Each structure stands twice: as structure tokens, then as C-alpha cells.
Amino acid sequence: MSGIRFSRRDLLTVSTAAAAGALASHAGELMRPARAQTRATAGKPITPALVEAAKKEGKLAFYTAMDLPVAEKFAKTFETKFPGISVRVERSGAERVFQRIGQEMESGIHAVDVVNSADGAHFIVWKRNNWLAPYLPEEVARHYPAQYYDPDGLWVTTRVWLSSLGYNTNLVKPEEAPKSFADLLDPKWMGKMVKGHPAYSGTIMTATFQIVREFGWQYLEKLAKQRVMQVQSSTDPPKKLALGERAVMADGTPLVTGPSAVFKSAPSPNAARLFQNWLHSLEAQQLLVDFARQHSVHPLTKEKPGARRLDEIKLWKDDPAGVERMSEEIKARYAQIFRV
């Protein structure tokens, strides 16, 4: 994006957790119930029978918090690979997707086939509600590190990304750009920042949880005095920077993971399983890296030249279980602090 630089180096000067440690401890530690479980290891291949059954259904509904161009790219690529199966993309912020699915399930409406969220806490709730279908793709069982899929095969980590600080290089000189969360409290940034909202975005929910965990609510109370523009999705702040409406993006560099799952009540169960399987294949995961410029946990994907590896960046560890416990408090207190 011309004119925008995402300054990931030394953004979190207070953080000492290396990315490798953060990644290695993600799902297995945070989303696994207290009792020991046997990890599912038998992955399901894409078979001619599965493809034929999916084509008979002819369609599937993909509820997702991915940026719309990314979700549509996946959908169109899948439709080209498997002619006769259409993908209806239902894109919204992760928290809105979560609310919608809850409302539909309570009303007996079974519309979602596959879901991808930017908030790992949602899968804790859906698993607890017994709404997810066990389905472990073959490539996941064969290649993915075990911590990136549910021991019962109910979800798989589809993508990994950062909620980065960013700035418009036409408005801010590199040497003057904020390098840490503390820098955002400098009076010179008053009225010049934009930030996503945790009641809409799963990425921002995760980031807000981590900010509160590390700095306490008092940090956000101080940040609110900086007259920060509030937008909904985590994809909105970069757009505000590109338009020159704000100079700095005030979200940080927490680690965010986005799992996907098949719903037990999926109206097109075979198409759903086929899509879930393909979504975590090397082909689709390389598409994620190349097109979305996000990170994949599939070890055979290749980063573009010049891309920084996660283990080169200081990150905070995500904690879906912690987010699940605090989500309502975060929404309420954030709205009160920022008056939105």
C-alpha cells in the first residue's frame, strides 16, 4: 500500500516473548480442556467420492472474518478447482460473525457450513456447545504442528498475522514514527490516530485483551485522551492511513491466529469438508502467503523474498481462553473509555 509503512521492528519494546515461543504455545496450551485428550492423527484425504458428493450438494456457505478480497480469492480458486460447487462468502467482523451464528443456532437456522474467525475464543464456545463436526484434513495431520489443530479434529489454524502499528510515510517521517505503545501517548499524536473496535473485530478483541493484560486498563484510558478515531474492522485503519485521514494506526503487534471449522449442522456437509480440506492444503496456504501476505503454519509454504519471519519479531502470546473469559468486560469497558 503506497505511502504506508508497518513498523514492526521494536514496536513492542516491553515484550520479551519471541515469536517462536508464542507460536509453539498457541492452541494446544490455550484451547485444550484441562483433562488429557488423545490427539486425532488420522487425517482425511480428498477422495473422488468426497468430490462427487460435494458436487451433488453444489454449494456451501463460508462465514468468515477474512478481508473480503482474500475470502473471495479463496472462494474463486476453489470454484475453479472444483467446478460445480459455488462458495457463498458471508464476510463480517469476527465478533459479528460470532453473534450471527449464535442467533441462527438459537433460532434453529442452519446456514453456515464452514467458519473462519479472527478470534480463537469463539471455537472454545462452539466446541463447548457441541456445534462443530470433527474433520481433520490429511495435510494437517501429516504436516501441521500438533498445537495448530484441535485434539479432537474440530478446528484447524488457517492463518496467522500481526495487529501492527502503522503510519503513513507521506505524513510521518520514519525517524519520527512511534516505536512503542508508550510513544502513542505523546501529545504530538493527538487527533492523528485511528484504531479498530473490539466489539466488531476479532483481531482487535485479541489485541485489546493483550494490551490490557500487559499494561492494564489505565493505558487505554490514557490513549482515549488522544482523540483516537474509532473504526470497526482491523482492515479499516490501513485504509484511513492510505487516504491520509490519519497519520498513525494505533493497534499494536500482538500475535493473532484465525482457525476454521466445519459446523455439525452444515447444510452441505460434504462440500464443507471438501472446502475445509482444500483450505488447509499447500495450494491454498501458499495462496494465503502470496496473496494475503499473512503467515501459514503449513511448513512447506514459502515466504516471499524479503518478508520477515515471525521469529524475527517480538510478539505477545495470544490466549483464546483468556479472551473468552474477558470478552464481555472488554466490550463494555472499551465502549465506556472511548465513548463509542
Side-chain angles (χ1 to χ4, degrees), residues 5-64:
R5 177 172 298 164
F6 293 94
S7 51
R8 292 177 178 173
R9 183 190 302 178
D10 298 328
L11 289 177
L12 301 183
T13 57
V14 298
S15 175
T16 58
L23 287 171
S25 60
H26 164 238
E29 169 183 320
L30 301 173
M31 298 178 74
R32 183 184 299 124
R35 63 181 179 83
Q37 294 192 40
T38 301
R39 179 162 293 283
T41 56
K44 303 293 185 181
I46 294 178
T47 63
L50 176 62
V51 174
E52 189 61 30
K55 287 184 175 181
K56 288 182 179 179
E57 294 168 348
K59 61 183 179 180
L60 67 101
F62 181 42
Y63 285 28
T64 182

Short mmCIF file of all heavy atoms in Angstrom, two decimals, residues 5-64:
data_model
loop_
_atom_site.label_atom_id
_atom_site.label_comp_id
_atom_site.label_asym_id
_atom_site.label_seq_id
_atom_site.Cartn_x
_atom_site.Cartn_y
_atom_site.Cartn_z
N ARG A 5 3.82 2.50 5.93
CA ARG A 5 4.85 1.58 6.40
C ARG A 5 4.40 0.98 7.71
O ARG A 5 4.00 1.69 8.62
CB ARG A 5 6.18 2.30 6.58
CG ARG A 5 7.28 1.41 7.13
CD ARG A 5 8.61 2.11 7.12
NE ARG A 5 8.97 2.46 5.74
CZ ARG A 5 9.92 3.34 5.44
NH1 ARG A 5 10.55 4.00 6.38
NH2 ARG A 5 10.20 3.60 4.16
N PHE A 6 4.47 -0.33 7.82
CA PHE A 6 4.12 -1.01 9.05
C PHE A 6 5.41 -1.28 9.81
O PHE A 6 6.20 -2.13 9.43
CB PHE A 6 3.36 -2.30 8.76
CG PHE A 6 2.03 -2.02 8.16
CD1 PHE A 6 1.86 -2.01 6.79
CD2 PHE A 6 0.96 -1.73 8.97
CE1 PHE A 6 0.63 -1.72 6.24
CE2 PHE A 6 -0.28 -1.45 8.42
CZ PHE A 6 -0.45 -1.44 7.07
N SER A 7 5.65 -0.49 10.84
CA SER A 7 6.92 -0.53 11.57
C SER A 7 6.88 -1.60 12.63
O SER A 7 6.50 -1.36 13.76
CB SER A 7 7.18 0.84 12.22
OG SER A 7 6.05 1.26 12.95
N ARG A 8 7.29 -2.82 12.27
CA ARG A 8 7.19 -3.96 13.19
C ARG A 8 8.42 -4.09 14.07
O ARG A 8 8.36 -4.73 15.10
CB ARG A 8 6.99 -5.24 12.38
CG ARG A 8 5.62 -5.26 11.70
CD ARG A 8 5.43 -6.47 10.85
NE ARG A 8 4.10 -6.47 10.26
CZ ARG A 8 3.68 -7.34 9.36
NH1 ARG A 8 4.49 -8.28 8.93
NH2 ARG A 8 2.47 -7.28 8.87
N ARG A 9 9.56 -3.52 13.68
CA ARG A 9 10.77 -3.67 14.48
C ARG A 9 10.68 -2.84 15.75
O ARG A 9 10.41 -1.65 15.73
CB ARG A 9 12.00 -3.23 13.70
CG ARG A 9 13.29 -3.44 14.50
CD ARG A 9 14.47 -2.78 13.82
NE ARG A 9 14.65 -3.30 12.48
CZ ARG A 9 15.60 -2.86 11.67
NH1 ARG A 9 16.42 -1.91 12.05
NH2 ARG A 9 15.70 -3.37 10.45
N ASP A 10 10.91 -3.48 16.87
CA ASP A 10 10.97 -2.82 18.17
C ASP A 10 9.70 -2.09 18.55
O ASP A 10 9.71 -1.18 19.37
CB ASP A 10 12.13 -1.81 18.22
CG ASP A 10 13.47 -2.49 18.04
OD1 ASP A 10 13.58 -3.65 18.49
OD2 ASP A 10 14.37 -1.89 17.47
N LEU A 11 8.55 -2.48 17.93
CA LEU A 11 7.31 -1.82 18.29
C LEU A 11 6.92 -2.14 19.72
O LEU A 11 6.35 -1.33 20.44
CB LEU A 11 6.19 -2.25 17.34
CG LEU A 11 6.32 -1.68 15.93
CD1 LEU A 11 5.21 -2.23 15.05
CD2 LEU A 11 6.26 -0.17 15.96
N LEU A 12 7.20 -3.36 20.12
CA LEU A 12 6.83 -3.77 21.47
C LEU A 12 8.09 -3.84 22.31
O LEU A 12 8.64 -4.89 22.57
CB LEU A 12 6.13 -5.13 21.44
CG LEU A 12 4.86 -5.16 20.60
CD1 LEU A 12 4.20 -6.51 20.70
CD2 LEU A 12 3.91 -4.08 21.06
N THR A 13 8.59 -2.70 22.72
CA THR A 13 9.85 -2.68 23.45
C THR A 13 9.72 -3.30 24.82
O THR A 13 10.72 -3.66 25.44
CB THR A 13 10.33 -1.22 23.60
OG1 THR A 13 9.31 -0.46 24.25
CG2 THR A 13 10.63 -0.61 22.25
N VAL A 14 8.49 -3.43 25.30
CA VAL A 14 8.31 -4.03 26.61
C VAL A 14 8.16 -5.55 26.53
O VAL A 14 8.13 -6.23 27.54
CB VAL A 14 7.05 -3.46 27.30
CG1 VAL A 14 7.21 -1.98 27.52
CG2 VAL A 14 5.81 -3.75 26.49
N SER A 15 8.02 -6.08 25.32
CA SER A 15 7.75 -7.50 25.17
C SER A 15 9.04 -8.29 25.05
O SER A 15 9.95 -7.90 24.35
CB SER A 15 6.89 -7.76 23.93
OG SER A 15 6.73 -9.13 23.74
N THR A 16 9.12 -9.42 25.73
CA THR A 16 10.30 -10.26 25.65
C THR A 16 10.00 -11.64 25.10
O THR A 16 10.88 -12.48 25.02
CB THR A 16 10.93 -10.44 27.05
OG1 THR A 16 9.96 -11.02 27.92
CG2 THR A 16 11.37 -9.10 27.62
N ALA A 17 8.74 -11.87 24.72
CA ALA A 17 8.37 -13.19 24.20
C ALA A 17 8.73 -13.29 22.75
O ALA A 17 8.27 -12.52 21.94
CB ALA A 17 6.86 -13.42 24.38
N ALA A 18 9.56 -14.24 22.39
CA ALA A 18 9.94 -14.44 21.00
C ALA A 18 8.79 -15.09 20.25
O ALA A 18 7.99 -15.81 20.83
CB ALA A 18 11.18 -15.32 20.91
N ALA A 19 8.73 -14.85 18.95
CA ALA A 19 7.63 -15.38 18.16
C ALA A 19 7.60 -16.89 18.18
O ALA A 19 6.54 -17.49 18.23
CB ALA A 19 7.76 -14.90 16.71
N ALA A 20 8.76 -17.51 18.14
CA ALA A 20 8.77 -18.98 18.12
C ALA A 20 8.10 -19.54 19.35
O ALA A 20 7.33 -20.49 19.29
CB ALA A 20 10.20 -19.49 18.02
N GLY A 21 8.38 -18.94 20.51
CA GLY A 21 7.76 -19.41 21.74
C GLY A 21 6.28 -19.14 21.75
O GLY A 21 5.49 -19.95 22.22
N ALA A 22 5.90 -17.98 21.22
CA ALA A 22 4.48 -17.63 21.17
C ALA A 22 3.73 -18.60 20.28
O ALA A 22 2.65 -19.08 20.62
CB ALA A 22 4.30 -16.21 20.66
N LEU A 23 4.30 -18.90 19.12
CA LEU A 23 3.63 -19.80 18.21
C LEU A 23 3.54 -21.21 18.78
O LEU A 23 2.53 -21.87 18.70
CB LEU A 23 4.38 -19.84 16.87
CG LEU A 23 4.22 -18.58 16.01
CD1 LEU A 23 5.19 -18.65 14.84
CD2 LEU A 23 2.81 -18.46 15.52
N ALA A 24 4.62 -21.66 19.39
CA ALA A 24 4.66 -23.04 19.87
C ALA A 24 3.68 -23.29 20.99
O ALA A 24 3.29 -24.42 21.25
CB ALA A 24 6.06 -23.38 20.36
N SER A 25 3.25 -22.23 21.67
CA SER A 25 2.38 -22.42 22.82
C SER A 25 0.93 -22.11 22.53
O SER A 25 0.10 -22.12 23.42
CB SER A 25 2.85 -21.53 23.97
OG SER A 25 2.80 -20.18 23.57
N HIS A 26 0.61 -21.82 21.28
CA HIS A 26 -0.73 -21.30 20.97
C HIS A 26 -1.87 -22.23 21.32
O HIS A 26 -2.41 -22.23 22.40
CB HIS A 26 -0.79 -20.91 19.48
CG HIS A 26 -2.17 -20.72 18.98
ND1 HIS A 26 -2.68 -21.43 17.93
CD2 HIS A 26 -3.18 -19.96 19.43
CE1 HIS A 26 -3.94 -21.08 17.74
NE2 HIS A 26 -4.25 -20.19 18.62
N ALA A 27 -2.30 -23.02 20.36
CA ALA A 27 -3.58 -23.68 20.51
C ALA A 27 -3.56 -24.84 21.47
O ALA A 27 -4.49 -25.01 22.25
CB ALA A 27 -4.06 -24.16 19.14
N GLY A 28 -2.53 -25.65 21.42
CA GLY A 28 -2.52 -26.83 22.27
C GLY A 28 -2.63 -26.49 23.74
O GLY A 28 -3.28 -27.16 24.51
N GLU A 29 -1.99 -25.38 24.13
CA GLU A 29 -1.97 -24.98 25.54
C GLU A 29 -3.21 -24.20 25.94
O GLU A 29 -3.70 -24.30 27.04
CB GLU A 29 -0.72 -24.13 25.75
CG GLU A 29 -0.65 -23.41 27.08
CD GLU A 29 0.59 -22.55 27.15
OE1 GLU A 29 1.64 -23.02 26.68
OE2 GLU A 29 0.50 -21.43 27.64
N LEU A 30 -3.75 -23.43 24.99
CA LEU A 30 -4.78 -22.46 25.35
C LEU A 30 -6.19 -22.93 25.10
O LEU A 30 -7.12 -22.44 25.72
CB LEU A 30 -4.53 -21.16 24.57
CG LEU A 30 -3.16 -20.54 24.85
CD1 LEU A 30 -2.93 -19.37 23.91
CD2 LEU A 30 -3.07 -20.09 26.29
N MET A 31 -6.38 -23.84 24.16
CA MET A 31 -7.73 -24.24 23.81
C MET A 31 -8.03 -25.68 24.19
O MET A 31 -9.12 -26.17 23.97
CB MET A 31 -7.96 -24.03 22.31
CG MET A 31 -7.80 -22.58 21.90
SD MET A 31 -8.00 -22.30 20.14
CE MET A 31 -9.79 -22.47 19.99
N ARG A 32 -7.07 -26.36 24.79
CA ARG A 32 -7.27 -27.73 25.21
C ARG A 32 -7.91 -27.76 26.58
O ARG A 32 -7.48 -27.05 27.49
CB ARG A 32 -5.93 -28.47 25.25
CG ARG A 32 -6.05 -29.93 25.60
CD ARG A 32 -4.67 -30.58 25.72
NE ARG A 32 -3.96 -30.49 24.45
CZ ARG A 32 -2.79 -29.95 24.30
NH1 ARG A 32 -2.17 -29.42 25.33
NH2 ARG A 32 -2.20 -29.92 23.12
N PRO A 33 -8.97 -28.56 26.80
CA PRO A 33 -9.55 -28.69 28.13
C PRO A 33 -8.53 -29.21 29.13
O PRO A 33 -7.50 -29.76 28.76
CB PRO A 33 -10.69 -29.70 27.92
CG PRO A 33 -11.00 -29.62 26.46
CD PRO A 33 -9.69 -29.32 25.79
N ALA A 34 -8.83 -29.03 30.41
CA ALA A 34 -7.88 -29.40 31.46
C ALA A 34 -7.57 -30.89 31.45
O ALA A 34 -6.44 -31.30 31.69
CB ALA A 34 -8.43 -28.98 32.82
N ARG A 35 -8.54 -31.72 31.14
CA ARG A 35 -8.29 -33.15 31.13
C ARG A 35 -7.48 -33.52 29.89
O ARG A 35 -7.54 -32.88 28.85
CB ARG A 35 -9.61 -33.93 31.13
CG ARG A 35 -10.47 -33.68 29.90
CD ARG A 35 -11.77 -34.48 29.98
NE ARG A 35 -12.61 -34.23 28.82
CZ ARG A 35 -12.48 -34.84 27.66
NH1 ARG A 35 -11.52 -35.72 27.48
NH2 ARG A 35 -13.30 -34.58 26.66
N ALA A 36 -6.70 -34.57 30.01
CA ALA A 36 -5.88 -35.00 28.90
C ALA A 36 -6.77 -35.56 27.79
O ALA A 36 -7.79 -36.17 28.04
CB ALA A 36 -4.90 -36.07 29.35
N GLN A 37 -6.36 -35.33 26.53
CA GLN A 37 -7.09 -35.85 25.41
C GLN A 37 -6.13 -36.57 24.47
O GLN A 37 -4.96 -36.26 24.40
CB GLN A 37 -7.78 -34.72 24.63
CG GLN A 37 -8.88 -34.03 25.44
CD GLN A 37 -9.72 -33.15 24.54
OE1 GLN A 37 -10.03 -33.51 23.42
NE2 GLN A 37 -10.10 -32.00 25.04
N THR A 38 -6.66 -37.50 23.73
CA THR A 38 -5.88 -38.17 22.72
C THR A 38 -5.96 -37.37 21.43
O THR A 38 -7.04 -37.09 20.95
CB THR A 38 -6.43 -39.60 22.47
OG1 THR A 38 -6.38 -40.33 23.69
CG2 THR A 38 -5.59 -40.30 21.41
N ARG A 39 -4.81 -36.95 20.91
CA ARG A 39 -4.81 -36.13 19.72
C ARG A 39 -5.18 -36.95 18.49
O ARG A 39 -4.69 -38.04 18.27
CB ARG A 39 -3.44 -35.49 19.51
CG ARG A 39 -3.37 -34.64 18.27
CD ARG A 39 -2.21 -33.70 18.29
NE ARG A 39 -2.36 -32.67 19.31
CZ ARG A 39 -3.15 -31.60 19.18
NH1 ARG A 39 -3.87 -31.47 18.09
NH2 ARG A 39 -3.23 -30.71 20.12
N ALA A 40 -6.11 -36.38 17.72
CA ALA A 40 -6.51 -37.04 16.49
C ALA A 40 -5.34 -37.02 15.51
O ALA A 40 -4.69 -36.01 15.33
CB ALA A 40 -7.71 -36.32 15.88
N THR A 41 -5.06 -38.14 14.88
CA THR A 41 -3.92 -38.20 13.96
C THR A 41 -4.30 -38.71 12.58
O THR A 41 -3.54 -38.55 11.64
CB THR A 41 -2.82 -39.12 14.53
OG1 THR A 41 -3.37 -40.42 14.81
CG2 THR A 41 -2.24 -38.54 15.82
N ALA A 42 -5.43 -39.35 12.44
CA ALA A 42 -5.84 -39.92 11.16
C ALA A 42 -6.51 -38.84 10.32
O ALA A 42 -7.67 -38.49 10.54
CB ALA A 42 -6.78 -41.09 11.38
N GLY A 43 -5.77 -38.28 9.36
CA GLY A 43 -6.32 -37.24 8.51
C GLY A 43 -7.13 -37.80 7.36
O GLY A 43 -6.91 -38.92 6.90
N LYS A 44 -8.07 -37.01 6.88
CA LYS A 44 -8.95 -37.42 5.79
C LYS A 44 -8.44 -36.85 4.47
O LYS A 44 -8.24 -35.64 4.35
CB LYS A 44 -10.38 -36.94 6.05
CG LYS A 44 -10.98 -37.42 7.36
CD LYS A 44 -11.19 -38.92 7.37
CE LYS A 44 -11.90 -39.36 8.65
NZ LYS A 44 -12.09 -40.83 8.69
N PRO A 45 -8.27 -37.69 3.46
CA PRO A 45 -7.83 -37.19 2.15
C PRO A 45 -9.01 -36.68 1.34
O PRO A 45 -10.17 -36.94 1.65
CB PRO A 45 -7.22 -38.43 1.50
CG PRO A 45 -8.05 -39.56 2.05
CD PRO A 45 -8.34 -39.16 3.49
N ILE A 46 -8.70 -35.93 0.29
CA ILE A 46 -9.72 -35.55 -0.68
C ILE A 46 -9.86 -36.71 -1.67
O ILE A 46 -8.93 -37.02 -2.40
CB ILE A 46 -9.33 -34.26 -1.43
CG1 ILE A 46 -9.32 -33.07 -0.46
CG2 ILE A 46 -10.30 -33.99 -2.58
CD1 ILE A 46 -8.90 -31.76 -1.09
N THR A 47 -10.99 -37.37 -1.63
CA THR A 47 -11.22 -38.55 -2.47
C THR A 47 -12.22 -38.22 -3.58
O THR A 47 -13.00 -37.27 -3.47
CB THR A 47 -11.79 -39.69 -1.63
OG1 THR A 47 -13.08 -39.29 -1.10
CG2 THR A 47 -10.86 -40.04 -0.46
N PRO A 48 -12.21 -39.00 -4.65
CA PRO A 48 -13.22 -38.81 -5.71
C PRO A 48 -14.65 -38.89 -5.16
O PRO A 48 -15.53 -38.16 -5.63
CB PRO A 48 -12.92 -39.94 -6.68
CG PRO A 48 -11.46 -40.21 -6.50
CD PRO A 48 -11.22 -40.02 -5.02
N ALA A 49 -14.86 -39.75 -4.19
CA ALA A 49 -16.20 -39.89 -3.61
C ALA A 49 -16.62 -38.61 -2.89
O ALA A 49 -17.78 -38.18 -2.99
CB ALA A 49 -16.23 -41.07 -2.65
N LEU A 50 -15.67 -38.00 -2.16
CA LEU A 50 -15.99 -36.75 -1.47
C LEU A 50 -16.28 -35.65 -2.47
O LEU A 50 -17.25 -34.88 -2.30
CB LEU A 50 -14.83 -36.34 -0.56
CG LEU A 50 -14.99 -35.00 0.16
CD1 LEU A 50 -16.18 -35.03 1.11
CD2 LEU A 50 -13.71 -34.65 0.93
N VAL A 51 -15.48 -35.55 -3.51
CA VAL A 51 -15.70 -34.51 -4.53
C VAL A 51 -17.06 -34.70 -5.20
O VAL A 51 -17.81 -33.73 -5.40
CB VAL A 51 -14.57 -34.55 -5.58
CG1 VAL A 51 -14.87 -33.58 -6.72
CG2 VAL A 51 -13.23 -34.21 -4.93
N GLU A 52 -17.40 -35.94 -5.53
CA GLU A 52 -18.68 -36.21 -6.18
C GLU A 52 -19.85 -35.87 -5.28
O GLU A 52 -20.84 -35.27 -5.71
CB GLU A 52 -18.75 -37.69 -6.60
CG GLU A 52 -19.93 -38.03 -7.49
CD GLU A 52 -19.93 -37.28 -8.80
OE1 GLU A 52 -18.83 -36.94 -9.30
OE2 GLU A 52 -21.03 -37.02 -9.33
N ALA A 53 -19.75 -36.22 -4.00
CA ALA A 53 -20.82 -35.91 -3.04
C ALA A 53 -20.95 -34.40 -2.87
O ALA A 53 -22.07 -33.88 -2.76
CB ALA A 53 -20.53 -36.58 -1.70
N ALA A 54 -19.82 -33.70 -2.86
CA ALA A 54 -19.84 -32.24 -2.72
C ALA A 54 -20.49 -31.59 -3.95
O ALA A 54 -21.25 -30.62 -3.83
CB ALA A 54 -18.42 -31.71 -2.53
N LYS A 55 -20.21 -32.14 -5.14
CA LYS A 55 -20.80 -31.58 -6.36
C LYS A 55 -22.30 -31.78 -6.40
O LYS A 55 -23.03 -30.96 -6.96
CB LYS A 55 -20.13 -32.22 -7.58
CG LYS A 55 -18.71 -31.73 -7.83
CD LYS A 55 -18.14 -32.30 -9.11
CE LYS A 55 -16.75 -31.70 -9.39
NZ LYS A 55 -16.17 -32.22 -10.66
N LYS A 56 -22.77 -32.87 -5.81
CA LYS A 56 -24.22 -33.09 -5.74
C LYS A 56 -24.88 -32.03 -4.87
O LYS A 56 -26.00 -31.60 -5.14
CB LYS A 56 -24.51 -34.49 -5.20
CG LYS A 56 -24.19 -35.61 -6.19
CD LYS A 56 -24.54 -36.98 -5.61
CE LYS A 56 -24.22 -38.08 -6.63
NZ LYS A 56 -24.53 -39.43 -6.07
N GLU A 57 -24.20 -31.61 -3.82
CA GLU A 57 -24.74 -30.53 -2.98
C GLU A 57 -24.61 -29.18 -3.69
O GLU A 57 -25.49 -28.33 -3.57
CB GLU A 57 -23.99 -30.50 -1.65
CG GLU A 57 -24.25 -31.73 -0.80
CD GLU A 57 -23.31 -31.86 0.40
OE1 GLU A 57 -22.31 -31.10 0.45
OE2 GLU A 57 -23.57 -32.72 1.26
N GLY A 58 -23.52 -28.99 -4.41
CA GLY A 58 -23.38 -27.87 -5.32
C GLY A 58 -23.06 -26.51 -4.73
O GLY A 58 -22.86 -25.56 -5.48
N LYS A 59 -23.00 -26.40 -3.42
CA LYS A 59 -22.75 -25.08 -2.84
C LYS A 59 -22.36 -25.22 -1.38
O LYS A 59 -22.55 -26.27 -0.76
CB LYS A 59 -24.00 -24.21 -2.93
CG LYS A 59 -25.20 -24.78 -2.19
CD LYS A 59 -26.44 -23.91 -2.37
CE LYS A 59 -27.64 -24.52 -1.64
NZ LYS A 59 -28.85 -23.68 -1.80
N LEU A 60 -21.80 -24.14 -0.85
CA LEU A 60 -21.52 -24.07 0.58
C LEU A 60 -21.48 -22.61 1.01
O LEU A 60 -21.24 -21.72 0.19
CB LEU A 60 -20.19 -24.78 0.92
CG LEU A 60 -18.90 -24.14 0.41
CD1 LEU A 60 -18.20 -23.34 1.50
CD2 LEU A 60 -17.96 -25.20 -0.14
N ALA A 61 -21.71 -22.39 2.29
CA ALA A 61 -21.67 -21.05 2.86
C ALA A 61 -20.44 -20.92 3.75
O ALA A 61 -20.26 -21.72 4.69
CB ALA A 61 -22.93 -20.77 3.67
N PHE A 62 -19.61 -19.94 3.46
CA PHE A 62 -18.37 -19.71 4.19
C PHE A 62 -18.51 -18.41 4.97
O PHE A 62 -18.49 -17.32 4.41
CB PHE A 62 -17.21 -19.62 3.19
CG PHE A 62 -15.85 -19.40 3.81
CD1 PHE A 62 -15.46 -20.06 4.96
CD2 PHE A 62 -14.94 -18.53 3.20
CE1 PHE A 62 -14.20 -19.86 5.52
CE2 PHE A 62 -13.68 -18.33 3.74
CZ PHE A 62 -13.31 -18.99 4.90
N TYR A 63 -18.68 -18.53 6.29
CA TYR A 63 -18.75 -17.37 7.16
C TYR A 63 -17.32 -17.04 7.61
O TYR A 63 -16.63 -17.91 8.13
CB TYR A 63 -19.59 -17.67 8.41
CG TYR A 63 -21.09 -17.72 8.20
CD1 TYR A 63 -21.65 -18.08 6.97
CD2 TYR A 63 -21.96 -17.43 9.25
CE1 TYR A 63 -23.03 -18.14 6.80
CE2 TYR A 63 -23.34 -17.48 9.09
CZ TYR A 63 -23.86 -17.84 7.85
OH TYR A 63 -25.23 -17.90 7.69
N THR A 64 -16.90 -15.80 7.42
CA THR A 64 -15.50 -15.51 7.67
C THR A 64 -15.27 -14.07 8.08
O THR A 64 -16.04 -13.17 7.73
CB THR A 64 -14.65 -15.82 6.42
OG1 THR A 64 -13.27 -15.57 6.70
CG2 THR A 64 -15.08 -14.98 5.24
#
